[in-house]
Amino acid sequence: MLASLLLLLCALSPPSFGAQLPNQNQAKEPPVATNGQPFPWDRMRLPKTITPLHYDLSIHPNLTTLDFTGVVRIELDVHEDTSTVILHSKQLQISGALLMAPEGVKPLQVLEYPRFHQLALLSDSVLTKGRKYEVQLEFAANLSDSFHGFYKSNYRTSSGEVRVLASTQFEATFARGAFPCFDEPAFKANFTIRIVREPRHITISNMPKVKTVQLPGGLLEDHFDTTVKMSTYLVAYIVSDFLSVSKTTKHGVEISVYAVPEKIDQTAFALDAAVKLLDFYDDYFDIPYPLPKQDLAAIPDFQSGAMENWGLTTYRETGLLFDPDRSSASDKLGITKVIAHELAHQWFGNLVTMEWWNDLWLNEGFAKFMEFISLDITYPELQVDDFFLGKCFEAMEVDSLSSSHPVSTPVENPTQIQEMFDDVSYDKGACILNMLRDFLTPEAFEIGIIRYLKRYSYQNTVNSHLWESLTNKWHSGDELDVRAIMDTWTLQEGFPLVTVEVRGREVWLSQERFLKTDDPSLTEGFLWQIPLTYMTSASSTIHRFLLKTKTGVLYLPEEVDWVKFNVDMSGYYMVHYAGDGWNSIIKVLQHNHTALTSNDRASLIQNVFQLVSVGKVRLDTALELSLYLSRETEIMAVTQGFGELVPLYKLMEKRDMAALENQMKGYIVDLFRGLIDRQEWTDSGSVSERVLRSYLLLFACVRKYPPCLNKATQLFNQWKDSDGNMSLPVDITMAVFITGAQTAEGWDFLFEKYRHSMQMSVRSRMKTAMAWSPRKDKLQWMMEQSLHGEVMKTQDLPDVVVSIGKNPHGYKLAWDFLRAHWHTMIKKFDLGSHTISYLVTGVTNQYSTTEMLDEIRSFFGSLTEETGSEMRCIQQTYETIEDNIRWMDKNLPLLQAWLNKRNHRVPHEDL
């Protein structure tokens, strides 16, 4: 949950993502293989003439020379007569290709076409439809230097020894870099895996080990049981010196957590959570988990948060390891959510898989949604509902730009596929599922998804299969057309803005696309079927209405003082209250804000400030509404208040306007002063109260609010004097560390502690604090060290660069660093990846001048398609900065006038 702290500290706009590359489905010229011969296939997608049934895979990694060799034998099902087998291989040296046919063994000619990562195996006799064949290929490659494919990772022990391991990350298109295969999700097959190792290592894979065979030369070969039928991107294996702890679920599945030896004592929480959650899903989906075991492994070098490989889920160390004495409430929430997400995938994604990556949201939207459903029931004390709305707000951030994409959108090449792993697939996917569940009722929704999982087990699906399963065939009378409703949410980008105007007992409704643009023609032609909900001042009953048309009228039984649409923001849309509507709402919030739920209050804050961006509401109306926040205590509404107000001064920090910037900072501190003053410097209270405390104290210290600053300075000095041995309350460490990092001496001390700490969550907080230093030399050094990867891990580079990009003393350094090391980063983190888009948007999204826009355009404009010029995140960056420029031009005078009128006391000029 550190992310939400950072959102506040750095006013991080949520990472936004992804781009459409021109259709490269077909090669422009007839393809030519590396040896100069014509290549017999000209499409990026593999032909469907042959499908794999079973892979026998034998891998021999060498962790000293950092390379591997292997043999794969693939049993094939031939659907049409052919003499060529087309499959994937990326940067593998292929030798010895054989065809095992009923009439004997024959050599195959191998052609390579690297542009599409394809191999063609040419047979001099025809492979006949309906007969069974096998091909065998020998291959060799280096362990990858990146975070995908079969890659090397290392860690340092407390005595300073560096140890090497090898692990896999195949989603989305990287299995082909580890062994030749049909690397598309619809080519499901069974896998039997064997791995050669030295006696000092262990190996783990998707299935349990059945035996270990001694080989000449003192080597061992581990044999694993055959997997269930599954996609290539879910295959996994690890060679390491990890230790493990294990427990068995009540359904008899063995759960083990693996970690490096010195961190195995931080695995107990994850082990218990995995047991509890796997049992929950087993019951909820009414489908037994089909494998005998589920391993969770903490990998020292890992690019994303985690990966759902069937039977062997892999995680960042910070996503799995928990120290009850040193980890915070937000760490616990974050770790539990990640485990809940990956285990939900064992059904959504692994058992039932999308046909192709255009429907990735069927995997990711569901897993994100199930985090909240499962934790609400299994860990009620985590109050996970307090955090769901934030996901919808993050999705809306990117979905309000014209460069957004539909939840289900055509993709072909690997860069486009990578770009699907974004806020639209995950967060918007989860939010529209939540809206549908609310509309159909939780019971009907659960019945429908169980029907879907049972009907399509071990198969691949498209969007419409889900909608059919959720349409109740036995419904009496009018059948709800779930597909017609949901196609409007998944097949077109963006989301609706519903304008509501109350005229006596009539409520006039209209819908349009909410879009941040100065080109109104871009909002035309969009229509949604919107499951509206509303309540009024006269009744807390939730009323429902499906708006299928551009406009509509509702009739109320009596006149009311106010209406609130999108109750609890369970719908993925914004609402504008025309006429006197916003004034009525401001009155309710000022006089009796608890008449509305905290989710309703958070959604009103978000809606009103976002409506300023599109010119529907004046800035002073939004600021008047924000005044009620001085009485707000609930986490979602408070953090949304910060989320809308803080970015306003973050834009000013990157322009020379200190006076107004300080006035704005003063207003925010003043608004929340009462709540900040009431925070205790302890770890008491519920999860939401504790997360809020971290958030508020961190903000107050960064803003140099004297009571907070003095306390944090005093605690940092005491902690430093004890050589870091004094136990600080976990929830306040971020505020204390960031205050300490402001001096050179404090920064050096923090770095020393960071270097030697084995506590992942503590290291993470120290790293963030160090990135907030005012010392440019320290900031530059941190970025260089992260890139180098010795003292600080390269996996942390994106967080370090983005944090420095939000630092008023470091933002220019971060932009210069991104430009200077662009080619290294896209190689390491991969074009189109969520990581690259997070870097691009995180470093650029707070600029608001035409000069900076020109500089950014000039850099990205100089790239080629191979180096990322077509990525969606670049388009999003341009749009975001253009939106910032428009906002500043229009609203700065209004903001100045409003703040002058309020004439707020600013306690300290340096706030």
Side-chain angles (χ1 to χ4, degrees):
M1 218 21 241
L2 254 179
S4 72
L5 287 179
L6 281 172
L7 169 74
L8 183 124
L9 153 69
C10 318
L12 274 177
S13 286
S16 39
F17 318 83
Q20 287 315 316
L21 287 154
N23 187 355
Q24 296 181 330
N25 190 14
Q26 270 178 291
K28 293 168 187 85
E29 303 292 317
V32 177
T34 47
N35 66 355
Q37 273 182 247
F39 190 80
W41 185 250
D42 67 352
R43 292 167 185 246
M44 190 165 276
R45 297 282 295 273
L46 298 180
K48 295 192 165 56
T49 43
I50 289 181
T51 50
L53 296 171
H54 179 260
Y55 292 77
D56 242 313
L57 177 62
S58 179
I59 300 273
H60 181 181
N62 186 325
L63 298 194
T64 310
T65 54
L66 302 176
D67 52 18
F68 63 95
T69 56
V71 182
V72 67
R73 210 166 142 152
I74 312 171
E75 187 186 330
L76 304 174
D77 198 359
V78 180
H79 306 291
E80 289 171 35
D81 289 5
T82 180
S83 53
T84 58
V85 178
I86 311 287
L87 71 168
H88 287 113
S89 167
K90 184 182 179 185
Q91 291 169 346
L92 298 172
Q93 292 159 300
I94 306 290
S95 57
L98 299 174
L99 174 71
M100 284 80 165
E103 54 273 19
V105 178
K106 301 177 184 174
L108 290 164
Q109 189 194 348
V110 180
L111 298 180
E112 297 187 47
Y113 186 55
R115 183 172 170 227
F116 288 173
H117 311 152
Q118 285 171 358
L119 293 180
L121 309 178
L122 309 186
S123 161
D124 50 18
S125 59
V126 172
L127 281 67
T128 313
K129 176 182 174 175
R131 295 176 72 181
K132 294 283 185 282
Y133 296 85
E134 288 185 352
V135 291
Q136 178 176 299
L137 298 162
E138 292 177 32
F139 56 93
N142 291 323
L143 287 169
S144 169
D145 263 335
S146 65
F147 296 96
H148 41 257
F150 191 21
Y151 70 95
K152 63 171 188 274
S153 167
N154 63 52
Y155 69 94
R156 198 179 288 270
T157 65
S158 53
S159 62
E161 180 197 350
V162 173
R163 295 191 183 171
V164 178
L165 61 132
S167 184
T168 58
Q169 166 65 41
F170 291 162
E171 191 176 34
T173 57
F174 304 114
R176 62 191 67 172
F179 61 98
C181 57
F182 294 78
D183 200 12
E184 293 181 10
F187 289 111
K188 289 190 170 185
N190 306 94
F191 296 81
T192 307
I193 296 172
R194 285 172 298 176
I195 304 173
V196 177
R197 63 177 167 91
E198 297 175 60
R200 66 196 171 112
H201 289 129
I202 62 154
T203 63
I204 47 178
S205 184
N206 304 83
M207 296 298 285
K209 189 168 72 173
V210 286
K211 64 175 178 180
T212 299
V213 178
Q214 295 234 323
L215 300 180
L219 293 173
L220 301 171
E221 183 177 59
D222 290 334
H223 292 229
F224 295 91
D225 215 343
T226 302
T227 68
V228 292
K229 193 175 165 194
M230 66 185 207
S231 305
T232 48
Y233 77 87
L234 294 168
V235 173
Y237 37 87
I238 300 170
V239 183
S240 68
D241 66 342
F242 288 174
L243 297 180
S244 66
V245 293
S246 304
K247 275 189 179 176
T248 305
T249 69
K250 68 172 195 274
H251 293 277
V253 179
E254 183 171 20
I255 308 269
S256 306
V257 180
Y258 286 82
V260 305
E262 287 182 276
K263 294 176 186 168
I264 197 69
D265 58 349
Q266 297 175 55
T267 54
F269 178 75
L271 182 61
D272 288 341
V275 168
K276 205 168 177 178
L277 285 159
L278 202 74
D279 273 334
F280 167 79
Y281 287 135
D282 228 310
D283 295 335
Y284 183 89
F285 294 135
D286 192 34
I287 299 172
Y289 173 73
L291 310 185
K293 61 96 176 173
Q294 168 67 242
D295 298 336
L296 298 84
I299 313 294
D301 297 281
F302 202 83
Q303 182 172 334
S304 63
M307 176 62 208
E308 68 266 22
N309 318 299
W310 214 344
L312 171 51
T313 51
T314 48
Y315 302 77
R316 257 190 190 218
E317 290 185 322
T318 45
L320 200 63
L321 303 180
F322 182 84
D323 177 341
D325 301 323
R326 305 279 190 84
S327 299
S328 67
S330 55
D331 295 327
K332 180 183 267 191
L333 181 66
I335 289 168
T336 320
K337 277 170 65 179
V338 172
I339 295 171
H341 183 101
E342 303 315 322
L343 296 187
H345 270 310
Q346 307 302 300
W347 285 263
F348 278 103
N350 301 9
L351 183 66
V352 179
T353 313
M354 71 268 139
E355 175 79 25
W356 179 243
W357 300 105
N358 61 312
D359 279 329
L360 173 70
W361 86 276
L362 288 172
N363 282 16
E364 296 303 348
F366 250 111
K368 174 62 66 182
F369 174 67
M370 288 308 300
E371 290 174 27
F372 292 89
I373 297 292
S374 62
L375 296 188
D376 198 30
I377 295 166
T378 53
Y379 284 90
E381 70 278 13
L382 290 179
Q383 297 167 295
V384 72
D385 273 359
D386 284 350
F387 304 94
F388 185 73
L389 259 201
K391 294 288 139 200
C392 306
F393 295 148
E394 282 174 32
M396 285 176 161
E397 190 89 12
V398 286
D399 213 15
S400 61
L401 302 175
S402 59
S403 52
S404 185
H405 63 90
V407 167
S408 179
T409 200
V411 288
E412 288 297 338
N413 65 45
T415 302
Q416 293 172 339
I417 292 167
Q418 283 295 100
E419 289 189 312
M420 288 299 284
F421 291 80
D422 71 355
D423 277 357
V424 173
S425 295
Y426 285 68
D427 297 344
K428 179 177 179 176
C431 294
I432 61 175
L433 287 170
N434 185 55
M435 172 170 71
L436 182 59
R437 177 177 184 254
D438 182 67
F439 183 61
L440 295 178
T441 74
E443 298 72 27
F445 182 83
E446 187 178 343
I447 290 166
I449 60 175
I450 291 169
R451 190 186 295 148
Y452 168 78
L453 289 171
K454 287 184 173 175
R455 167 74 184 78
Y456 297 105
S457 290
Y458 303 104
Q459 296 178 57
N460 295 79
T461 57
V462 296
N463 245 342
S464 54
H465 292 142
L466 177 62
W467 309 141
E468 284 157 21
S469 302
L470 283 162
T471 302
N472 191 342
K473 301 286 187 282
W474 307 281
H475 205 279
S476 56
D478 285 349
E479 185 181 287
L480 248 188
D481 192 343
V482 174
R483 182 177 180 173
I485 296 170
M486 296 310 290
D487 278 354
T488 69
W489 296 93
T490 56
L491 302 183
Q492 58 184 354
E493 70 272 24
F495 58 89
L497 166 64
V498 175
T499 298
V500 173
E501 188 169 3
V502 180
R503 304 178 189 170
R505 280 181 45 210
E506 294 177 348
V507 182
W508 289 63
L509 305 167
S510 66
Q511 61 159 298
E512 65 193 286
R513 182 178 175 192
F514 180 92
L515 190 64
K516 293 180 178 174
T517 177
D518 50 3
D519 180 356
S521 70
L522 294 174
T523 63
E524 287 164 14
F526 287 87
L527 186 70
W528 284 266
Q529 293 199 19
I530 311 173
L532 294 178
T533 54
Y534 64 96
M535 54 182 281
T536 70
S537 54
S539 146
S540 57
T541 307
I542 299 175
H543 302 275
R544 296 174 184 277
F545 177 71
L546 185 65
L547 179 66
K548 296 181 177 184
T549 48
K550 191 94 180 134
T551 58
V553 184
L554 288 174
Y555 297 93
L556 302 172
E558 60 196 300
E559 290 199 18
V560 295
D561 296 333
W562 52 266
V563 292
K564 165 67 173 74
F565 272 74
N566 201 356
V567 179
D568 279 336
M569 197 156 166
S570 55
Y572 185 71
Y573 58 94
M574 283 190 202
V575 183
H576 170 43
Y577 298 92
D580 206 32
W582 278 110
N583 291 334
S584 313
I585 279 167
I586 290 170
K587 276 191 197 119
V588 184
L589 289 173
Q590 284 175 346
H591 301 297
N592 180 21
H593 67 279
T594 53
L596 296 162
T597 65
S598 63
N599 271 7
D600 274 331
R601 303 194 298 270
S603 72
L604 288 167
I605 295 162
Q606 190 255 6
N607 286 192
V608 79
F609 276 94
Q610 294 303 313
L611 287 165
V612 173
S613 294
V614 294
K616 294 276 185 190
V617 172
R618 278 174 58 94
L619 177 62
D620 31 12
T621 305
L623 291 166
E624 288 295 327
L625 183 141
S626 76
L627 286 168
Y628 105 88
L629 285 165
S630 63
R631 289 186 301 286
E632 184 57 84
T633 56
E634 298 285 336
I635 186 164
M636 200 60 237
V638 171
T639 52
Q640 201 51 39
F642 278 109
E644 300 298 342
L645 293 166
V646 170
L648 307 190
Y649 76 68
K650 296 304 292 183
L651 292 177
M652 297 173 208
E653 279 181 348
K654 294 181 173 53
R655 292 166 62 148
D656 187 17
M657 40 188 3
L660 183 58
E661 179 194 319
N662 285 332
Q663 244 183 307
M664 186 66 203
K665 289 173 177 174
Y667 170 63
I668 301 172
V669 172
D670 239 24
L671 198 55
F672 293 106
R673 180 194 305 269
L675 195 56
I676 292 166
D677 289 345
R678 289 202 298 278
Q679 298 305 310
E680 295 169 6
W681 291 65
T682 64
D683 286 337
S684 61
S686 69
V687 170
S688 289
E689 286 164 347
R690 291 181 59 186
V691 172
L692 184 59
R693 171 186 302 128
S694 301
Y695 211 99
L696 289 165
L697 295 179
L698 176 55
F699 172 79
C701 286
V702 168
R703 289 281 54 83
K704 300 186 169 61
Y705 175 52
C708 186
L709 201 57
N710 298 340
K711 178 85 171 166
T713 306
Q714 177 198 342
L715 284 168
F716 184 81
N717 291 335
Q718 289 172 353
W719 179 70
K720 184 165 161 288
D721 293 344
S722 75
D723 195 29
N725 293 319
M726 172 182 140
S727 177
L728 289 168
V730 180
D731 296 342
I732 64 160
T733 49
M734 197 71 227
V736 172
F737 290 165
I738 220 156
T739 304
Q742 297 307 296
T743 67
E745 192 191 352
W747 194 97
D748 291 341
F749 181 76
L750 264 178
F751 177 67
E752 244 347 90
K753 292 294 154 204
Y754 169 86
R755 239 172 59 166
H756 296 108
S757 173
M758 286 281 168
Q759 258 50 50
M760 298 320 297
S761 47
V762 177
R763 280 172 64 91
S764 181
R765 288 195 285 277
M766 288 175 171
K767 179 192 70 193
T768 304
M770 292 188 294
W772 201 252
S773 164
R775 298 277 305 270
K776 289 188 168 60
D777 56 331
K778 302 282 193 199
L779 301 176
Q780 187 66 31
W781 185 84
M782 268 183 92
M783 291 191 289
E784 283 161 5
Q785 288 305 317
S786 304
L787 187 65
H788 192 229
E790 291 276 316
V791 184
M792 303 183 89
K793 286 272 189 197
T794 305
Q795 67 175 12
D796 295 332
L797 177 68
D799 281 336
V800 168
V801 174
V802 169
S803 292
I804 291 170
K806 307 296 181 192
N807 179 336
H809 305 280
Y811 60 87
K812 201 74 179 77
L813 299 175
W815 166 238
D816 291 341
F817 187 87
L818 182 72
R819 284 190 292 183
H821 300 284
W822 178 257
H823 297 284
T824 312
M825 291 203 241
I826 58 173
K827 213 158 139 187
K828 189 80 182 170
F829 296 116
D830 211 56
L831 270 191
S833 68
H834 178 267
T835 309
I836 291 294
S837 99
Y838 169 65
L839 270 164
V840 168
T841 51
V843 168
T844 60
N845 64 8
Q846 291 175 353
Y847 286 114
S848 62
T849 63
T850 46
E851 295 74 27
M852 262 324 284
L853 179 58
D854 292 344
E855 189 176 306
I856 287 165
R857 271 189 197 279
S858 137
F859 171 69
F860 289 126
S862 71
L863 301 175
T864 62
E865 192 172 313
E866 286 67 41
T867 56
S869 65
E870 300 295 320
M871 286 191 299
R872 188 185 287 122
C873 62
I874 293 173
Q875 222 31 62
Q876 288 171 328
T877 289
Y878 297 159
E879 282 190 60
T880 301
I881 298 173
E882 285 164 359
D883 180 49
N884 292 344
I885 293 170
R886 280 197 301 274
W887 196 99
M888 294 294 259
D889 289 350
K890 183 175 177 184
N891 292 305
L892 275 183
L894 288 166
L895 180 62
Q896 182 73 72
W898 191 83
L899 289 171
N900 289 346
K901 194 174 80 190
R902 298 282 324 149
N903 194 17
H904 262 81
R905 295 179 299 110
V906 179
H908 266 251
E909 277 313 307
D910 62 349
L911 277 177

